[in-house]
Amino acid sequence: MIVSTTLTGSNADIIGDALASVAGQVDRCLVIDTGARDDTLEAARRVAGEKLLVREFPWKNDFAAARNFALDAAAEAGARWAVTVDTDERLLFDAGFELRAALETSSAGVLLVAQRDGSYAKERILRLPATVRWVGPTHEHLKGLLSGDSAVLEGVRFDELPKDAAALRRKFERDVAILRKHTRQHAKEPRWHYYLGASHHDLGQYAAAIDAFRACAALGGWAEEGAWACYRAADCCCALQRWTEAIEFCARGLAIRPATAELAWLAGFA
């Protein structure tokens, strides 16, 4: 059995198209209600019909917890595969593509789906019961994924609805609030400092972003992550015309990962 999973709050205006994009390729459409206050579930039922399966999960500012709940609920419903489709996403299948046939011939435990323009791909299809778990309250990622156990699924892509400036600002403000708390609780994990810095940067809060990126680089985790944290910190310094500090961040980043040529360019600019 193939089950799509969709987390939703009050999204009556967009959930129908999300489910419609996948309903013809799956056996059930599992909707995780995180606290909808409008007619979201009715909109979902109009599209999914008898395929609709609803489970409640009170929202707790933790996307990983909600996604793991969805995986467990799909497995309990008898699914062998879970296909993630967020309310602001649409799956685009090639003409004649059969998801069931593609999954039957796949040996991977996790399948990625490329974005419409091919610029990147997301983990969107998981074999059940899952041997991996989502980690992180936002900018979540899969933990436990072994080398060679994932592949990009050809024949399907996804698209995302654009967000206006107000919606983007709400997203960045939400992420800052979540990640401030999370970095206090997980102070030695560089990933979350990096994304906290990115969210501050997107809000134009450059000084706060520099502090977060500095913390990420200082923790000495993944070399590429540390180098890019230095690059992002240097970029924020340039925005504040703190030129000497920008050059120092670039030098530090090159010491972490000399192959990051963008750091040399930015140092020259500064």
Side-chain angles (χ1 to χ4, degrees):
M1 181 188 293
I2 306 171
V3 173
S4 66
T5 65
T6 303
L7 311 180
T8 188
S10 298
N11 298 119
D13 56 334
I14 59 176
I15 192 171
D17 287 343
L19 296 180
S21 75
V22 72
Q25 297 276 358
V26 301
D27 299 294
R28 303 296 296 272
C29 295
L30 173 62
V31 170
I32 307 300
D33 178 10
T34 62
R37 297 181 179 179
D38 58 8
D39 62 346
T40 292
L41 299 183
E42 288 75 12
R45 187 168 287 105
R46 285 195 293 270
V47 172
E50 294 182 353
K51 289 186 177 182
L52 181 65
L53 183 63
V54 178
R55 295 290 183 268
E56 293 184 0
F57 184 80
W59 183 242
K60 55 183 71 175
N61 285 331
D62 191 330
F63 280 96
R67 293 201 189 283
N68 288 330
F69 176 84
L71 291 179
D72 293 341
E76 290 171 4
R80 294 185 60 199
W81 291 94
V83 181
T84 299
V85 184
D86 289 342
T87 55
D88 62 349
E89 294 176 346
R90 310 289 181 260
L91 290 186
L92 311 171
F93 295 95
D94 289 352
F97 179 84
E98 293 283 346
L99 180 59
R100 189 179 309 281
L103 297 182
E104 286 176 352
T105 59
S106 175
S107 60
V110 176
L111 291 167
L112 290 80
V113 175
Q115 205 272 347
R116 186 173 191 171
D117 64 8
S119 58
Y120 69 102
K122 288 183 179 181
E123 299 91 347
R124 277 298 176 258
I125 306 176
L126 275 68
R127 188 188 298 272
L128 300 177
T131 58
V132 294
R133 301 296 281 178
W134 291 102
V135 176
T138 184
H139 294 285
E140 62 277 13
H141 69 106
L142 285 174
K143 184 177 182 179
L145 183 60
L146 300 177
S147 177
D149 195 34
S150 64
V152 176
L153 181 62
E154 301 297 336
V156 57
R157 300 209 169 194
F158 77 91
D159 201 5
E160 292 179 285
L161 298 180
K163 293 181 174 64
D164 60 26
L168 283 172
R169 185 168 188 85
R170 288 194 297 271
K171 176 184 183 300
F172 300 144
E173 289 173 343
R174 177 203 68 196
D175 285 355
V176 163
I178 291 173
L179 289 168
R180 276 178 177 168
K181 179 180 179 180
H182 197 67
T183 51
R184 288 195 296 269
Q185 297 171 339
H186 302 269
K188 295 184 178 181
E189 297 181 19
R191 178 186 182 91
W192 312 118
H193 293 281
Y194 184 93
Y195 283 116
L196 175 59
S199 297
H200 277 304
H201 171 273
D202 291 334
L203 288 169
Q205 299 168 351
Y206 299 122
I210 291 168
D211 290 341
F213 286 131
R214 180 186 288 112
C216 173
L219 286 168
W222 182 30
E224 188 172 4
E225 180 182 61
W228 277 105
C230 289
Y231 179 92
R232 298 291 299 272
D235 185 51
C236 291
C237 287
C238 289
L240 296 174
Q241 298 187 10
R242 289 158 54 173
W243 307 112
T244 299
E245 191 175 354
I247 295 169
E248 291 170 350
F249 269 118
C250 291
R252 183 174 183 178
L254 286 167
I256 295 172
R257 186 175 181 270
T260 310
E262 290 87 349
L263 284 160
W265 177 89
L266 189 57
F269 172 80

